[in-house]
PDB file of all heavy atoms in Angstrom:
ATOM      1  N   ALA A 182      19.937  54.801  68.334  1.00  0.00           N
ATOM      2  CA  ALA A 182      18.481  54.692  68.225  1.00  0.00           C
ATOM      3  C   ALA A 182      17.996  53.317  68.635  1.00  0.00           C
ATOM      4  O   ALA A 182      16.941  53.173  69.254  1.00  0.00           O
ATOM      5  CB  ALA A 182      18.044  54.998  66.792  1.00  0.00           C
ATOM      6  N   ASP A 183      18.809  52.290  68.312  1.00  0.00           N
ATOM      7  CA  ASP A 183      18.438  50.924  68.696  1.00  0.00           C
ATOM      8  C   ASP A 183      18.452  50.767  70.210  1.00  0.00           C
ATOM      9  O   ASP A 183      17.582  50.125  70.790  1.00  0.00           O
ATOM     10  CB  ASP A 183      19.409  49.941  68.044  1.00  0.00           C
ATOM     11  CG  ASP A 183      19.001  48.504  68.287  1.00  0.00           C
ATOM     12  OD1 ASP A 183      17.821  48.174  68.040  1.00  0.00           O
ATOM     13  OD2 ASP A 183      19.851  47.712  68.721  1.00  0.00           O
ATOM     14  N   LYS A 184      19.450  51.375  70.877  1.00  0.00           N
ATOM     15  CA  LYS A 184      19.512  51.327  72.342  1.00  0.00           C
ATOM     16  C   LYS A 184      18.281  51.994  72.944  1.00  0.00           C
ATOM     17  O   LYS A 184      17.638  51.473  73.851  1.00  0.00           O
ATOM     18  CB  LYS A 184      20.772  52.035  72.841  1.00  0.00           C
ATOM     19  CG  LYS A 184      22.081  51.350  72.499  1.00  0.00           C
ATOM     20  CD  LYS A 184      23.217  52.199  73.040  1.00  0.00           C
ATOM     21  CE  LYS A 184      24.575  51.605  72.684  1.00  0.00           C
ATOM     22  NZ  LYS A 184      25.678  52.472  73.162  1.00  0.00           N
ATOM     23  N   SER A 185      17.956  53.199  72.436  1.00  0.00           N
ATOM     24  CA  SER A 185      16.816  53.934  72.969  1.00  0.00           C
ATOM     25  C   SER A 185      15.517  53.178  72.751  1.00  0.00           C
ATOM     26  O   SER A 185      14.633  53.167  73.606  1.00  0.00           O
ATOM     27  CB  SER A 185      16.746  55.312  72.294  1.00  0.00           C
ATOM     28  OG  SER A 185      15.628  56.042  72.736  1.00  0.00           O
ATOM     29  N   SER A 186      15.403  52.507  71.605  1.00  0.00           N
ATOM     30  CA  SER A 186      14.205  51.732  71.315  1.00  0.00           C
ATOM     31  C   SER A 186      14.048  50.578  72.289  1.00  0.00           C
ATOM     32  O   SER A 186      12.946  50.301  72.777  1.00  0.00           O
ATOM     33  CB  SER A 186      14.271  51.206  69.879  1.00  0.00           C
ATOM     34  OG  SER A 186      13.179  50.358  69.613  1.00  0.00           O
ATOM     35  N   ARG A 187      15.152  49.891  72.617  1.00  0.00           N
ATOM     36  CA  ARG A 187      15.076  48.778  73.562  1.00  0.00           C
ATOM     37  C   ARG A 187      14.679  49.268  74.954  1.00  0.00           C
ATOM     38  O   ARG A 187      13.933  48.616  75.675  1.00  0.00           O
ATOM     39  CB  ARG A 187      16.417  48.042  73.607  1.00  0.00           C
ATOM     40  CG  ARG A 187      16.700  47.202  72.382  1.00  0.00           C
ATOM     41  CD  ARG A 187      17.807  46.204  72.670  1.00  0.00           C
ATOM     42  NE  ARG A 187      19.077  46.839  72.971  1.00  0.00           N
ATOM     43  CZ  ARG A 187      20.007  47.136  72.054  1.00  0.00           C
ATOM     44  NH1 ARG A 187      19.789  46.857  70.785  1.00  0.00           N
ATOM     45  NH2 ARG A 187      21.140  47.706  72.406  1.00  0.00           N
ATOM     46  N   THR A 188      15.201  50.462  75.341  1.00  0.00           N
ATOM     47  CA  THR A 188      14.855  51.019  76.646  1.00  0.00           C
ATOM     48  C   THR A 188      13.363  51.308  76.727  1.00  0.00           C
ATOM     49  O   THR A 188      12.699  50.954  77.706  1.00  0.00           O
ATOM     50  CB  THR A 188      15.657  52.310  76.893  1.00  0.00           C
ATOM     51  OG1 THR A 188      17.047  52.004  76.834  1.00  0.00           O
ATOM     52  CG2 THR A 188      15.315  52.928  78.241  1.00  0.00           C
ATOM     53  N   ARG A 189      12.837  51.989  75.694  1.00  0.00           N
ATOM     54  CA  ARG A 189      11.407  52.313  75.702  1.00  0.00           C
ATOM     55  C   ARG A 189      10.557  51.056  75.651  1.00  0.00           C
ATOM     56  O   ARG A 189       9.489  50.994  76.249  1.00  0.00           O
ATOM     57  CB  ARG A 189      11.086  53.227  74.519  1.00  0.00           C
ATOM     58  CG  ARG A 189      11.691  54.618  74.630  1.00  0.00           C
ATOM     59  CD  ARG A 189      11.051  55.561  73.622  1.00  0.00           C
ATOM     60  NE  ARG A 189      11.207  55.065  72.262  1.00  0.00           N
ATOM     61  CZ  ARG A 189      12.217  55.371  71.471  1.00  0.00           C
ATOM     62  NH1 ARG A 189      13.182  56.156  71.911  1.00  0.00           N
ATOM     63  NH2 ARG A 189      12.278  54.899  70.231  1.00  0.00           N
ATOM     64  N   ARG A 190      11.009  50.045  74.935  1.00  0.00           N
ATOM     65  CA  ARG A 190      10.220  48.821  74.786  1.00  0.00           C
ATOM     66  C   ARG A 190      10.041  48.114  76.126  1.00  0.00           C
ATOM     67  O   ARG A 190       8.930  47.675  76.459  1.00  0.00           O
ATOM     68  CB  ARG A 190      10.916  47.893  73.782  1.00  0.00           C
ATOM     69  CG  ARG A 190      10.221  46.547  73.605  1.00  0.00           C
ATOM     70  CD  ARG A 190       8.881  46.707  72.915  1.00  0.00           C
ATOM     71  NE  ARG A 190       8.207  45.434  72.806  1.00  0.00           N
ATOM     72  CZ  ARG A 190       8.430  44.553  71.842  1.00  0.00           C
ATOM     73  NH1 ARG A 190       9.311  44.825  70.888  1.00  0.00           N
ATOM     74  NH2 ARG A 190       7.761  43.416  71.803  1.00  0.00           N
ATOM     75  N   LEU A 191      11.099  48.001  76.923  1.00  0.00           N
ATOM     76  CA  LEU A 191      10.992  47.317  78.209  1.00  0.00           C
ATOM     77  C   LEU A 191      10.048  48.073  79.129  1.00  0.00           C
ATOM     78  O   LEU A 191       9.138  47.476  79.728  1.00  0.00           O
ATOM     79  CB  LEU A 191      12.369  47.181  78.854  1.00  0.00           C
ATOM     80  CG  LEU A 191      12.375  46.529  80.250  1.00  0.00           C
ATOM     81  CD1 LEU A 191      11.817  45.120  80.180  1.00  0.00           C
ATOM     82  CD2 LEU A 191      13.776  46.520  80.845  1.00  0.00           C
ATOM     83  N   LYS A 192      10.224  49.383  79.255  1.00  0.00           N
ATOM     84  CA  LYS A 192       9.342  50.153  80.136  1.00  0.00           C
ATOM     85  C   LYS A 192       7.900  50.099  79.650  1.00  0.00           C
ATOM     86  O   LYS A 192       6.964  49.973  80.452  1.00  0.00           O
ATOM     87  CB  LYS A 192       9.811  51.607  80.215  1.00  0.00           C
ATOM     88  CG  LYS A 192      11.098  51.797  80.996  1.00  0.00           C
ATOM     89  CD  LYS A 192      11.493  53.263  81.084  1.00  0.00           C
ATOM     90  CE  LYS A 192      10.461  54.091  81.819  1.00  0.00           C
ATOM     91  NZ  LYS A 192      10.935  55.482  82.018  1.00  0.00           N
ATOM     92  N   HIS A 193       7.712  50.172  78.350  1.00  0.00           N
ATOM     93  CA  HIS A 193       6.357  50.121  77.793  1.00  0.00           C
ATOM     94  C   HIS A 193       5.695  48.788  78.110  1.00  0.00           C
ATOM     95  O   HIS A 193       4.529  48.738  78.549  1.00  0.00           O
ATOM     96  CB  HIS A 193       6.412  50.344  76.279  1.00  0.00           C
ATOM     97  CG  HIS A 193       5.084  50.192  75.601  1.00  0.00           C
ATOM     98  ND1 HIS A 193       4.635  48.971  75.111  1.00  0.00           N
ATOM     99  CD2 HIS A 193       4.087  51.092  75.356  1.00  0.00           C
ATOM    100  CE1 HIS A 193       3.438  49.127  74.587  1.00  0.00           C
ATOM    101  NE2 HIS A 193       3.085  50.395  74.711  1.00  0.00           N
ATOM    102  N   ASP A 194       6.407  47.694  77.910  1.00  0.00           N
ATOM    103  CA  ASP A 194       5.836  46.372  78.168  1.00  0.00           C
ATOM    104  C   ASP A 194       5.531  46.178  79.656  1.00  0.00           C
ATOM    105  O   ASP A 194       4.504  45.588  80.017  1.00  0.00           O
ATOM    106  CB  ASP A 194       6.796  45.277  77.690  1.00  0.00           C
ATOM    107  CG  ASP A 194       6.902  45.224  76.173  1.00  0.00           C
ATOM    108  OD1 ASP A 194       6.107  45.914  75.503  1.00  0.00           O
ATOM    109  OD2 ASP A 194       7.791  44.510  75.656  1.00  0.00           O
ATOM    110  N   VAL A 195       6.420  46.667  80.505  1.00  0.00           N
ATOM    111  CA  VAL A 195       6.188  46.539  81.950  1.00  0.00           C
ATOM    112  C   VAL A 195       4.968  47.344  82.371  1.00  0.00           C
ATOM    113  O   VAL A 195       4.112  46.857  83.127  1.00  0.00           O
ATOM    114  CB  VAL A 195       7.442  46.991  82.739  1.00  0.00           C
ATOM    115  CG1 VAL A 195       7.115  47.099  84.233  1.00  0.00           C
ATOM    116  CG2 VAL A 195       8.584  46.011  82.532  1.00  0.00           C
ATOM    117  N   ILE A 196       4.854  48.566  81.886  1.00  0.00           N
ATOM    118  CA  ILE A 196       3.707  49.402  82.246  1.00  0.00           C
ATOM    119  C   ILE A 196       2.409  48.795  81.740  1.00  0.00           C
ATOM    120  O   ILE A 196       1.379  48.815  82.437  1.00  0.00           O
ATOM    121  CB  ILE A 196       3.908  50.838  81.696  1.00  0.00           C
ATOM    122  CG1 ILE A 196       5.047  51.519  82.451  1.00  0.00           C
ATOM    123  CG2 ILE A 196       2.632  51.649  81.818  1.00  0.00           C
ATOM    124  CD1 ILE A 196       5.428  52.876  81.895  1.00  0.00           C
ATOM    125  N   GLU A 197       2.425  48.240  80.535  1.00  0.00           N
ATOM    126  CA  GLU A 197       1.218  47.579  80.011  1.00  0.00           C
ATOM    127  C   GLU A 197       0.829  46.391  80.889  1.00  0.00           C
ATOM    128  O   GLU A 197      -0.358  46.172  81.169  1.00  0.00           O
ATOM    129  CB  GLU A 197       1.464  47.109  78.572  1.00  0.00           C
ATOM    130  CG  GLU A 197       1.443  48.226  77.541  1.00  0.00           C
ATOM    131  CD  GLU A 197       0.097  48.909  77.464  1.00  0.00           C
ATOM    132  OE1 GLU A 197      -0.926  48.189  77.412  1.00  0.00           O
ATOM    133  OE2 GLU A 197       0.057  50.153  77.488  1.00  0.00           O
ATOM    134  N   ALA A 198       1.811  45.633  81.347  1.00  0.00           N
ATOM    135  CA  ALA A 198       1.520  44.484  82.214  1.00  0.00           C
ATOM    136  C   ALA A 198       0.983  44.941  83.565  1.00  0.00           C
ATOM    137  O   ALA A 198       0.084  44.307  84.134  1.00  0.00           O
ATOM    138  CB  ALA A 198       2.772  43.629  82.397  1.00  0.00           C
ATOM    139  N   VAL A 199       1.512  46.038  84.095  1.00  0.00           N
ATOM    140  CA  VAL A 199       1.001  46.578  85.355  1.00  0.00           C
ATOM    141  C   VAL A 199      -0.433  47.083  85.176  1.00  0.00           C
ATOM    142  O   VAL A 199      -1.272  46.932  86.075  1.00  0.00           O
ATOM    143  CB  VAL A 199       1.922  47.692  85.883  1.00  0.00           C
ATOM    144  CG1 VAL A 199       1.316  48.364  87.118  1.00  0.00           C
ATOM    145  CG2 VAL A 199       3.298  47.135  86.220  1.00  0.00           C
ATOM    146  N   ASN A 200      -0.727  47.676  84.037  1.00  0.00           N
ATOM    147  CA  ASN A 200      -2.102  48.090  83.751  1.00  0.00           C
ATOM    148  C   ASN A 200      -3.052  46.899  83.754  1.00  0.00           C
ATOM    149  O   ASN A 200      -4.188  46.993  84.256  1.00  0.00           O
ATOM    150  CB  ASN A 200      -2.169  48.809  82.402  1.00  0.00           C
ATOM    151  CG  ASN A 200      -1.563  50.200  82.448  1.00  0.00           C
ATOM    152  OD1 ASN A 200      -1.495  50.822  83.513  1.00  0.00           O
ATOM    153  ND2 ASN A 200      -1.119  50.698  81.313  1.00  0.00           N
ATOM    154  N   GLU A 201      -2.606  45.798  83.201  1.00  0.00           N
ATOM    155  CA  GLU A 201      -3.424  44.585  83.228  1.00  0.00           C
ATOM    156  C   GLU A 201      -3.619  44.090  84.657  1.00  0.00           C
ATOM    157  O   GLU A 201      -4.711  43.614  85.010  1.00  0.00           O
ATOM    158  CB  GLU A 201      -2.777  43.494  82.372  1.00  0.00           C
ATOM    159  CG  GLU A 201      -2.742  43.809  80.884  1.00  0.00           C
ATOM    160  CD  GLU A 201      -2.036  42.728  80.088  1.00  0.00           C
ATOM    161  OE1 GLU A 201      -1.663  41.696  80.694  1.00  0.00           O
ATOM    162  OE2 GLU A 201      -1.861  42.910  78.865  1.00  0.00           O
ATOM    163  N   LEU A 202      -2.575  44.203  85.483  1.00  0.00           N
ATOM    164  CA  LEU A 202      -2.691  43.818  86.886  1.00  0.00           C
ATOM    165  C   LEU A 202      -3.725  44.687  87.597  1.00  0.00           C
ATOM    166  O   LEU A 202      -4.565  44.172  88.362  1.00  0.00           O
ATOM    167  CB  LEU A 202      -1.329  43.952  87.564  1.00  0.00           C
ATOM    168  CG  LEU A 202      -1.290  43.756  89.090  1.00  0.00           C
ATOM    169  CD1 LEU A 202      -1.776  42.367  89.469  1.00  0.00           C
ATOM    170  CD2 LEU A 202       0.118  43.993  89.626  1.00  0.00           C
ATOM    171  N   ILE A 203      -3.699  45.987  87.359  1.00  0.00           N
ATOM    172  CA  ILE A 203      -4.676  46.888  87.975  1.00  0.00           C
ATOM    173  C   ILE A 203      -6.081  46.543  87.519  1.00  0.00           C
ATOM    174  O   ILE A 203      -7.030  46.548  88.317  1.00  0.00           O
ATOM    175  CB  ILE A 203      -4.323  48.351  87.637  1.00  0.00           C
ATOM    176  CG1 ILE A 203      -2.974  48.733  88.268  1.00  0.00           C
ATOM    177  CG2 ILE A 203      -5.415  49.300  88.103  1.00  0.00           C
ATOM    178  CD1 ILE A 203      -2.467  50.098  87.849  1.00  0.00           C
ATOM    179  N   GLN A 204      -6.232  46.218  86.237  1.00  0.00           N
ATOM    180  CA  GLN A 204      -7.547  45.825  85.726  1.00  0.00           C
ATOM    181  C   GLN A 204      -8.032  44.551  86.397  1.00  0.00           C
ATOM    182  O   GLN A 204      -9.218  44.425  86.739  1.00  0.00           O
ATOM    183  CB  GLN A 204      -7.472  45.641  84.204  1.00  0.00           C
ATOM    184  CG  GLN A 204      -8.779  45.242  83.550  1.00  0.00           C
ATOM    185  CD  GLN A 204      -9.846  46.321  83.655  1.00  0.00           C
ATOM    186  OE1 GLN A 204      -9.541  47.496  83.902  1.00  0.00           O
ATOM    187  NE2 GLN A 204     -11.092  45.927  83.472  1.00  0.00           N
ATOM    188  N   ASP A 205      -7.139  43.600  86.600  1.00  0.00           N
ATOM    189  CA  ASP A 205      -7.516  42.354  87.286  1.00  0.00           C
ATOM    190  C   ASP A 205      -7.956  42.635  88.725  1.00  0.00           C
ATOM    191  O   ASP A 205      -8.904  42.000  89.215  1.00  0.00           O
ATOM    192  CB  ASP A 205      -6.341  41.373  87.281  1.00  0.00           C
ATOM    193  CG  ASP A 205      -6.057  40.807  85.907  1.00  0.00           C
ATOM    194  OD1 ASP A 205      -6.954  40.877  85.044  1.00  0.00           O
ATOM    195  OD2 ASP A 205      -4.942  40.294  85.686  1.00  0.00           O
ATOM    196  N   ILE A 206      -7.271  43.551  89.396  1.00  0.00           N
ATOM    197  CA  ILE A 206      -7.656  43.896  90.767  1.00  0.00           C
ATOM    198  C   ILE A 206      -9.046  44.529  90.783  1.00  0.00           C
ATOM    199  O   ILE A 206      -9.879  44.216  91.638  1.00  0.00           O
ATOM    200  CB  ILE A 206      -6.614  44.844  91.390  1.00  0.00           C
ATOM    201  CG1 ILE A 206      -5.266  44.142  91.539  1.00  0.00           C
ATOM    202  CG2 ILE A 206      -7.089  45.354  92.742  1.00  0.00           C
ATOM    203  CD1 ILE A 206      -4.143  45.049  91.973  1.00  0.00           C
ATOM    204  N   ASN A 207      -9.304  45.411  89.828  1.00  0.00           N
ATOM    205  CA  ASN A 207     -10.597  46.105  89.791  1.00  0.00           C
ATOM    206  C   ASN A 207     -11.754  45.164  89.494  1.00  0.00           C
ATOM    207  O   ASN A 207     -12.876  45.393  89.948  1.00  0.00           O
ATOM    208  CB  ASN A 207     -10.557  47.221  88.747  1.00  0.00           C
ATOM    209  CG  ASN A 207      -9.666  48.380  89.161  1.00  0.00           C
ATOM    210  OD1 ASN A 207      -9.487  48.636  90.350  1.00  0.00           O
ATOM    211  ND2 ASN A 207      -9.105  49.075  88.194  1.00  0.00           N
ATOM    212  N   THR A 208     -11.505  44.123  88.728  1.00  0.00           N
ATOM    213  CA  THR A 208     -12.590  43.236  88.283  1.00  0.00           C
ATOM    214  C   THR A 208     -12.604  41.893  89.005  1.00  0.00           C
ATOM    215  O   THR A 208     -13.348  41.004  88.606  1.00  0.00           O
ATOM    216  CB  THR A 208     -12.475  42.984  86.772  1.00  0.00           C
ATOM    217  OG1 THR A 208     -11.217  42.336  86.481  1.00  0.00           O
ATOM    218  CG2 THR A 208     -12.567  44.289  85.995  1.00  0.00           C
ATOM    219  N   CYS A 209     -11.798  41.744  90.068  1.00  0.00           N
ATOM    220  CA  CYS A 209     -11.714  40.430  90.719  1.00  0.00           C
ATOM    221  C   CYS A 209     -13.051  40.008  91.302  1.00  0.00           C
ATOM    222  O   CYS A 209     -13.406  38.816  91.277  1.00  0.00           O
ATOM    223  CB  CYS A 209     -10.622  40.437  91.781  1.00  0.00           C
ATOM    224  SG  CYS A 209     -10.972  41.463  93.226  1.00  0.00           S
ATOM    225  N   HIS A 210     -13.836  40.954  91.843  1.00  0.00           N
ATOM    226  CA  HIS A 210     -15.132  40.597  92.408  1.00  0.00           C
ATOM    227  C   HIS A 210     -16.053  39.994  91.339  1.00  0.00           C
ATOM    228  O   HIS A 210     -16.716  38.976  91.578  1.00  0.00           O
ATOM    229  CB  HIS A 210     -15.813  41.825  93.018  1.00  0.00           C
ATOM    230  CG  HIS A 210     -15.076  42.413  94.171  1.00  0.00           C
ATOM    231  ND1 HIS A 210     -14.528  41.646  95.180  1.00  0.00           N
ATOM    232  CD2 HIS A 210     -14.788  43.707  94.494  1.00  0.00           C
ATOM    233  CE1 HIS A 210     -13.955  42.426  96.074  1.00  0.00           C
ATOM    234  NE2 HIS A 210     -14.077  43.681  95.672  1.00  0.00           N
ATOM    235  N   GLU A 211     -16.083  40.640  90.174  1.00  0.00           N
ATOM    236  CA  GLU A 211     -16.941  40.145  89.106  1.00  0.00           C
ATOM    237  C   GLU A 211     -16.498  38.771  88.609  1.00  0.00           C
ATOM    238  O   GLU A 211     -17.333  37.894  88.349  1.00  0.00           O
ATOM    239  CB  GLU A 211     -16.972  41.142  87.945  1.00  0.00           C
ATOM    240  CG  GLU A 211     -17.662  42.457  88.251  1.00  0.00           C
ATOM    241  CD  GLU A 211     -16.789  43.416  89.037  1.00  0.00           C
ATOM    242  OE1 GLU A 211     -15.621  43.072  89.326  1.00  0.00           O
ATOM    243  OE2 GLU A 211     -17.279  44.517  89.364  1.00  0.00           O
ATOM    244  N   GLN A 212     -15.187  38.582  88.485  1.00  0.00           N
ATOM    245  CA  GLN A 212     -14.685  37.296  87.990  1.00  0.00           C
ATOM    246  C   GLN A 212     -14.972  36.164  88.974  1.00  0.00           C
ATOM    247  O   GLN A 212     -15.249  35.042  88.572  1.00  0.00           O
ATOM    248  CB  GLN A 212     -13.179  37.410  87.726  1.00  0.00           C
ATOM    249  CG  GLN A 212     -12.838  38.373  86.593  1.00  0.00           C
ATOM    250  CD  GLN A 212     -11.343  38.550  86.413  1.00  0.00           C
ATOM    251  OE1 GLN A 212     -10.545  37.807  86.978  1.00  0.00           O
ATOM    252  NE2 GLN A 212     -10.951  39.547  85.636  1.00  0.00           N
ATOM    253  N   ILE A 213     -14.892  36.461  90.268  1.00  0.00           N
ATOM    254  CA  ILE A 213     -15.220  35.443  91.260  1.00  0.00           C
ATOM    255  C   ILE A 213     -16.724  35.195  91.286  1.00  0.00           C
ATOM    256  O   ILE A 213     -17.186  34.048  91.378  1.00  0.00           O
ATOM    257  CB  ILE A 213     -14.715  35.881  92.652  1.00  0.00           C
ATOM    258  CG1 ILE A 213     -13.186  35.906  92.667  1.00  0.00           C
ATOM    259  CG2 ILE A 213     -15.231  34.956  93.745  1.00  0.00           C
ATOM    260  CD1 ILE A 213     -12.588  36.443  93.954  1.00  0.00           C
ATOM    261  N   ALA A 214     -17.516  36.262  91.178  1.00  0.00           N
ATOM    262  CA  ALA A 214     -18.972  36.133  91.232  1.00  0.00           C
ATOM    263  C   ALA A 214     -19.522  35.310  90.070  1.00  0.00           C
ATOM    264  O   ALA A 214     -20.562  34.647  90.211  1.00  0.00           O
ATOM    265  CB  ALA A 214     -19.614  37.518  91.249  1.00  0.00           C
ATOM    266  N   GLU A 215     -18.837  35.335  88.924  1.00  0.00           N
ATOM    267  CA  GLU A 215     -19.308  34.557  87.774  1.00  0.00           C
ATOM    268  C   GLU A 215     -19.344  33.057  88.054  1.00  0.00           C
ATOM    269  O   GLU A 215     -20.048  32.308  87.388  1.00  0.00           O
ATOM    270  CB  GLU A 215     -18.403  34.833  86.570  1.00  0.00           C
ATOM    271  CG  GLU A 215     -18.559  36.232  85.985  1.00  0.00           C
ATOM    272  CD  GLU A 215     -17.571  36.494  84.869  1.00  0.00           C
ATOM    273  OE1 GLU A 215     -16.730  35.597  84.619  1.00  0.00           O
ATOM    274  OE2 GLU A 215     -17.629  37.576  84.262  1.00  0.00           O
ATOM    275  N   GLN A 216     -18.595  32.605  89.061  1.00  0.00           N
ATOM    276  CA  GLN A 216     -18.538  31.178  89.383  1.00  0.00           C
ATOM    277  C   GLN A 216     -19.575  30.769  90.436  1.00  0.00           C
ATOM    278  O   GLN A 216     -19.649  29.604  90.816  1.00  0.00           O
ATOM    279  CB  GLN A 216     -17.140  30.823  89.895  1.00  0.00           C
ATOM    280  CG  GLN A 216     -16.018  31.278  88.971  1.00  0.00           C
ATOM    281  CD  GLN A 216     -14.651  31.144  89.605  1.00  0.00           C
ATOM    282  OE1 GLN A 216     -14.255  30.069  90.047  1.00  0.00           O
ATOM    283  NE2 GLN A 216     -13.901  32.243  89.667  1.00  0.00           N
ATOM    284  N   ALA A 217     -20.374  31.721  90.907  1.00  0.00           N
ATOM    285  CA  ALA A 217     -21.288  31.446  92.016  1.00  0.00           C
ATOM    286  C   ALA A 217     -22.298  30.363  91.672  1.00  0.00           C
ATOM    287  O   ALA A 217     -22.602  29.488  92.505  1.00  0.00           O
ATOM    288  CB  ALA A 217     -22.005  32.734  92.428  1.00  0.00           C
ATOM    289  N   VAL A 218     -22.819  30.394  90.466  1.00  0.00           N
ATOM    290  CA  VAL A 218     -23.867  29.437  90.098  1.00  0.00           C
ATOM    291  C   VAL A 218     -23.356  28.003  90.085  1.00  0.00           C
ATOM    292  O   VAL A 218     -24.141  27.054  90.189  1.00  0.00           O
ATOM    293  CB  VAL A 218     -24.452  29.828  88.724  1.00  0.00           C
ATOM    294  CG1 VAL A 218     -23.441  29.561  87.600  1.00  0.00           C
ATOM    295  CG2 VAL A 218     -25.765  29.111  88.469  1.00  0.00           C
ATOM    296  N   GLU A 219     -22.042  27.814  89.988  1.00  0.00           N
ATOM    297  CA  GLU A 219     -21.474  26.467  90.002  1.00  0.00           C
ATOM    298  C   GLU A 219     -21.378  25.892  91.408  1.00  0.00           C
ATOM    299  O   GLU A 219     -21.212  24.677  91.568  1.00  0.00           O
ATOM    300  CB  GLU A 219     -20.068  26.486  89.369  1.00  0.00           C
ATOM    301  CG  GLU A 219     -20.031  27.030  87.954  1.00  0.00           C
ATOM    302  CD  GLU A 219     -18.615  27.170  87.433  1.00  0.00           C
ATOM    303  OE1 GLU A 219     -17.684  26.686  88.131  1.00  0.00           O
ATOM    304  OE2 GLU A 219     -18.424  27.775  86.369  1.00  0.00           O
ATOM    305  N   HIS A 220     -21.494  26.747  92.433  1.00  0.00           N
ATOM    306  CA  HIS A 220     -21.253  26.301  93.809  1.00  0.00           C
ATOM    307  C   HIS A 220     -22.476  26.435  94.715  1.00  0.00           C
ATOM    308  O   HIS A 220     -22.574  25.716  95.709  1.00  0.00           O
ATOM    309  CB  HIS A 220     -20.081  27.091  94.406  1.00  0.00           C
ATOM    310  CG  HIS A 220     -18.797  26.931  93.664  1.00  0.00           C
ATOM    311  ND1 HIS A 220     -17.959  25.851  93.821  1.00  0.00           N
ATOM    312  CD2 HIS A 220     -18.204  27.713  92.719  1.00  0.00           C
ATOM    313  CE1 HIS A 220     -16.902  25.976  93.032  1.00  0.00           C
ATOM    314  NE2 HIS A 220     -17.033  27.109  92.360  1.00  0.00           N
ATOM    315  N   ILE A 221     -23.377  27.350  94.416  1.00  0.00           N
ATOM    316  CA  ILE A 221     -24.575  27.538  95.231  1.00  0.00           C
ATOM    317  C   ILE A 221     -25.773  26.935  94.500  1.00  0.00           C
ATOM    318  O   ILE A 221     -26.032  27.282  93.345  1.00  0.00           O
ATOM    319  CB  ILE A 221     -24.813  29.026  95.522  1.00  0.00           C
ATOM    320  CG1 ILE A 221     -23.639  29.598  96.326  1.00  0.00           C
ATOM    321  CG2 ILE A 221     -26.120  29.229  96.286  1.00  0.00           C
ATOM    322  CD1 ILE A 221     -23.775  31.082  96.644  1.00  0.00           C
ATOM    323  N   HIS A 222     -26.484  26.058  95.171  1.00  0.00           N
ATOM    324  CA  HIS A 222     -27.594  25.341  94.542  1.00  0.00           C
ATOM    325  C   HIS A 222     -28.917  25.696  95.206  1.00  0.00           C
ATOM    326  O   HIS A 222     -28.956  26.393  96.232  1.00  0.00           O
ATOM    327  CB  HIS A 222     -27.339  23.832  94.602  1.00  0.00           C
ATOM    328  CG  HIS A 222     -26.013  23.432  94.027  1.00  0.00           C
ATOM    329  ND1 HIS A 222     -25.722  23.517  92.688  1.00  0.00           N
ATOM    330  CD2 HIS A 222     -24.873  22.992  94.629  1.00  0.00           C
ATOM    331  CE1 HIS A 222     -24.479  23.122  92.464  1.00  0.00           C
ATOM    332  NE2 HIS A 222     -23.939  22.799  93.634  1.00  0.00           N
ATOM    333  N   GLN A 223     -29.984  25.203  94.610  1.00  0.00           N
ATOM    334  CA  GLN A 223     -31.330  25.559  95.044  1.00  0.00           C
ATOM    335  C   GLN A 223     -31.590  25.120  96.488  1.00  0.00           C
ATOM    336  O   GLN A 223     -31.226  24.013  96.902  1.00  0.00           O
ATOM    337  CB  GLN A 223     -32.354  24.911  94.100  1.00  0.00           C
ATOM    338  CG  GLN A 223     -33.758  25.446  94.208  1.00  0.00           C
ATOM    339  CD  GLN A 223     -33.910  26.839  93.605  1.00  0.00           C
ATOM    340  OE1 GLN A 223     -32.985  27.360  92.995  1.00  0.00           O
ATOM    341  NE2 GLN A 223     -35.074  27.435  93.797  1.00  0.00           N
TER     342      GLN A 223
END
Side-chain angles (χ1 to χ4, degrees):
D183 186 50
K184 292 179 182 177
S185 178
S186 175
R187 287 197 296 269
T188 301
R189 292 194 302 269
R190 177 68 183 276
L191 177 61
K192 289 182 62 174
H193 175 270
D194 290 351
V195 170
I196 291 174
E197 285 297 313
V199 174
N200 287 336
E201 294 177 5
L202 173 60
I203 295 173
Q204 180 65 19
D205 289 341
I206 295 172
N207 290 332
T208 61
C209 69
H210 296 316
E211 292 79 2
Q212 294 176 12
I213 293 175
E215 290 176 356
Q216 308 170 56
V218 71
E219 303 174 8
H220 300 279
I221 298 179
H222 306 291
Q223 194 73 7

